[in-house]
Amino acid sequence: LTLPFAAAFCIALLVFTVPAQSQVYVGGELTADETFAPGNNPYIVTQDLIVLKNVTLTLLPGVEMQFEAGTSLVVNGTLIAKGTNGQKIKFLPKNPGIVPGLWNGLVFNNTKTLMGADSAYLSGSVLSEAIISNASYSVTLDFSTALLIENTRISRCSFGVYLKASGYNTIRNCEFSGCDFGIFMASGYLNPSNNIYRNSISGSADVGIFINSNFTQPNQNHISGNLI
C-alpha cells in the first residue's frame, strides 16, 4: 500500500470499529434483586417498572433511565439510587421537551431509609445525587414511606416531591426549579414529622413549599421567584 492509501485505510478502520451506544429496555415487575450499571445506558422504561416487596433495585452512579410517556418507577421494595457529584443518576423522559408531565415519576410505597444518629444514610432505600426532569409527580411518597432524598435536582415538573401518606422523610440539599409545586403536603395528619431543610426552590408556577401541618416545620430553605 502506498502511504496515503494506508493512512486512509487506518482512519476508516478506526471510524467503523467504534462500538455503538448500548441500550436496555425494561418494564414490568422486578421479581429478583438487580443492579443497573452505566455501561448499559440508557435504560428505557417502556411500561411501569415495579420493584416488588423484598426486592432491591440498585442504580450505580452514572445510570440514566429514560421513561416513555405515562410510565413510572414504582418501588414497593427497595431502591438504592446513590450517585456522586460527578456521576449523577438521571431519570428523564424518553422524548425530551420543555413541558412537565411527560412521564409519571418515581412512586415509593412503604419503603424505608435507615439513618444513623448523625443523620447519615446507613441502608435501605435512598435517592441521592440524582437528576429528575419533566415528570408529573416527580417523587411520590405514599403508604408509610420514610425516605432520604438528598442532593437531587428536580426540574420542569407538576409536583417535585408529593408527600401523600408518609412520615419521617428527610428532604435536604435538593434543588427544585420550574415546577408547579416544589414540595407539596396536603395533610399533616397523614405525613407526620418530616425534615425539610437546606433546599432551594425557585421558579414555581404556584407554590414553592405547601405544607398543611403543625408537625413539619421546614427550615433553612432558600425560596425565591415562586408565584406564591
Side-chain angles (χ1 to χ4, degrees), residues 66-101:
Q66 298 180 3
F67 292 78
E68 296 280 6
T71 65
S72 58
L73 173 59
V74 181
V75 183
N76 299 323
T78 300
L79 175 70
I80 301 175
K82 204 169 188 297
T84 66
N85 186 50
Q87 289 187 296
K88 303 283 189 181
I89 294 172
K90 298 178 181 179
F91 303 92
L92 310 172
K94 173 65 168 60
N95 299 303
I98 62 172
V99 297

Side-chain angles (χ1 to χ4, degrees), residues 9 39 41 78 112 139 190:
F9 177 79
N41 282 343
T78 300
K112 313 289 184 184
V139 181
L190 296 175

